[in-house]
Amino acid sequence: MNPFSYTRATDVTNAVSEASRSAAAKFIAGGTNLIDLMKENVARPERLIDITHLPLKRIEDTDDGGLRLGALVTNAETAYNPQVEKRYPLLSRAILSGASPQLRNMATNGGNLLQRTRCIYFYDTATHCNKRMRGTGCSAIEGFNRMHAVLGASDQCIAVHPSDMCVALAALEAVVLVTGKNGDRSIPIADFHRLPGDTPDMDTNLGGDEIILSIDLPPKGFADHHAYVKVRDRASYAFALVSVAAALEMSGDIIKEARVALGGVAHKPWRNTEAEALLTGKAATKDNFQIVAETILHDAEGFEHNTFKIELSKRVIVRALNHAARMETRP
Ligand SMILES: Cc1cc2nc3c(=O)[nH]c(=O)nc-3n(C[C@H](O)[C@H](O)[C@H](O)COP(=O)(O)OP(=O)(O)OC[C@H]3O[C@@H](n4cnc5c(N)ncnc54)[C@H](O)[C@@H]3O)c2cc1C
Ligand code: SF4
């Protein structure tokens, strides 16, 4: 047994002040990831700060024409919100492709961003893992690495970020609003998660005392041309081998803007804006999509069990872009 204290935060200021009291404090929201990590002895917080009663449960319009998603709105409420369905269907589809209905009813938006990798060695405390404890080694590099990264990995960690929601947020260029003892800040989603480098224990750039308040979606929702394609080992209730969020702005058959975010391939949702720009002003053809896919995967490196992900990623990118362009048979 690992003893811990439990506090229910009364307001956001109280939550931040409670978190500032110990480096081993953790907020708990839906608990769908943190409780599992505690049961497996992977997370050992000394203080649990229950934030479920904080007023962060609204979805509302922003002044610039976008939409603000409260950190404590559940994944289910977000996916089925009429404004999200109408203006940001890409996000709705990505969320609904993840987990199960029961989990989505508990899981919150803030918790989804901060869920930890599903690397089997990370959960197995009998093995070496630099993410669990920096400097101990990575069991996955020479181990069973079928689910692991092919882009942006380091010699310290080859884990992937497991979220579906975050892949759509990357394509939509969402902004995460947080607050902590040093005040409020806005973090573009591209800068929220980190690559592993020499510090694979740090998943994000969020401070230990900082709480996520909301996620802002910019006005552009790509409702007319989008697709979320997730390839996984079984049809439901499985994490992505590869997923792609594709969003296009089209003028007739010509692409004005393209965004392509990948999940399941890196330590964070993966984008390559230079590759995306290759589609600007081009026709929505399979050949043009293939060029972008080849460019995005150009520097990919596989390990013993996951090299297949490189070709798979290319095919999923082409398929997602094709679906986004035509908005025909749903993937
Ligand atoms: C069996 C299973 C299958 C799943 N399949 C998928 C899937 O296919 N796709 C997918 O995307 N996800 C999947 N999930 C993950 C699920 O989406 C996450 O567990 C969930 O989103 C986490 O949200 P939560 O509110 O329960 O977080 P919690 O477990 O409460 O917290 C997770 C982390 O976030 C921190 N935290 C929570 N809220 C805040 C906040 N507002 N500010 C600061 N820190 C905060 C906590 O301190 C903790 O570190 C699956 C989970 C399970 C158990
Ligand atoms: S890939 Fe990362 S999470 Fe998995 S064992 Fe290696 S260091 Fe740990």
Side-chain angles (χ1 to χ4, degrees):
M1 282 289 284
N2 296 308
F4 60 89
S5 67
Y6 170 88
T7 314
R8 180 175 285 168
T10 49
D11 56 32
V12 169
T13 310
N14 173 244
V16 169
S17 130
E18 287 290 337
S20 307
R21 285 174 57 188
S22 161
K26 277 270 174 208
F27 298 121
I28 182 156
T32 60
N33 189 215
L34 183 55
I35 297 289
D36 281 354
L37 291 166
M38 289 173 70
K39 284 192 207 158
E40 299 291 338
N41 215 16
V42 175
R44 289 187 288 269
E46 285 169 8
R47 299 172 64 75
L48 265 195
I49 304 155
D50 179 346
I51 57 172
T52 55
H53 287 234
L54 300 185
L56 306 172
K57 297 182 180 172
R58 292 181 59 184
I59 294 182
E60 53 199 353
D61 289 329
T62 55
D63 291 342
D64 69 354
L67 202 63
R68 175 162 295 164
L69 312 173
L72 288 171
V73 181
T74 66
N75 284 178
E77 285 165 339
T78 303
Y80 293 122
N81 176 276
Q83 287 300 313
V84 175
E85 284 182 316
K86 183 174 164 206
R87 293 159 57 190
Y88 304 95
L90 171 61
L91 178 61
S92 187
R93 293 186 67 83
I95 293 173
L96 293 176
S97 76
S100 66
Q102 293 90 338
L103 282 160
R104 295 194 297 265
N105 283 337
M106 284 301 293
T108 64
N109 293 334
N112 194 304
L113 265 60
L114 293 172
Q115 64 175 295
R116 306 216 65 190
T117 185
R118 292 283 155 172
C119 171
I120 49 172
Y121 303 105
F122 177 67
Y123 282 77
D124 180 354
T125 54
T127 62
H128 297 299
C129 171
N130 286 323
K131 186 178 281 299
R132 235 186 306 107
M133 195 181 295
R134 201 188 292 181
T136 57
C138 171
S139 301
I141 290 174
E142 299 290 330
F144 185 59
N145 43 39
R146 185 166 180 276
M147 296 296 289
H148 289 73
V150 291
L151 286 164
S154 76
D155 62 359
Q156 303 289 306
C157 179
I158 60 169
V160 299
H161 194 265
S163 169
D164 290 291
M165 178 181 187
C166 293
V167 182
L169 293 179
L172 293 169
E173 299 188 346
V175 175
V176 187
L177 306 185
V178 310
T179 194
K181 60 178 192 262
N182 293 325
D184 300 348
R185 52 186 193 122
S186 304
I187 311 174
I189 190 79
D191 301 329
F192 187 82
H193 299 99
R194 297 164 60 98
L195 289 178
D198 292 335
T199 52
D201 49 324
M202 295 170 68
D203 293 349
T204 71
N205 288 312
L206 194 70
D209 61 294
E210 286 184 314
I211 184 168
I212 300 174
L213 302 174
S214 61
I215 300 157
D216 278 6
L217 302 175
K220 218 171 184 178
F222 296 92
D224 291 339
H225 293 284
H226 66 273
Y228 188 74
V229 181
K230 177 175 178 178
V231 177
R232 47 191 155 176
D233 280 329
R234 52 175 189 235
S236 74
Y237 202 48
F239 290 93
L241 283 165
V242 173
S243 68
V244 174
L248 296 174
E249 189 183 350
M250 310 265 305
S251 176
D253 277 346
I254 301 301
I255 295 166
K256 288 174 72 182
E257 184 180 358
R259 297 191 191 164
V260 181
L262 275 74
V265 296
H267 202 253
K268 61 188 282 188
W270 189 266
R271 276 187 69 188
N272 178 333
T273 50
E274 284 174 21
E276 292 168 8
L278 295 173
L279 283 175
T280 307
K282 298 276 168 50
T285 63
K286 198 174 168 190
D287 286 349
N288 286 334
F289 296 154
Q290 188 69 40
I291 290 168
V292 171
E294 298 288 345
T295 309
I296 292 174
L297 274 301
H298 183 263
D299 295 327
E301 278 182 64
F303 296 85
E304 185 178 356
H305 305 283
N306 74 347
T307 306
F308 74 95
K309 274 193 180 188
I310 298 173
E311 180 58 27
L312 181 63
S313 297
K314 294 178 191 172
R315 293 183 189 192
V316 181
I317 290 169
V318 172
R319 187 168 166 206
L321 283 166
N322 203 36
H323 279 295
R326 325 260 175 252
M327 291 298 283
E328 51 196 15
T329 318
R330 304 303 311 163

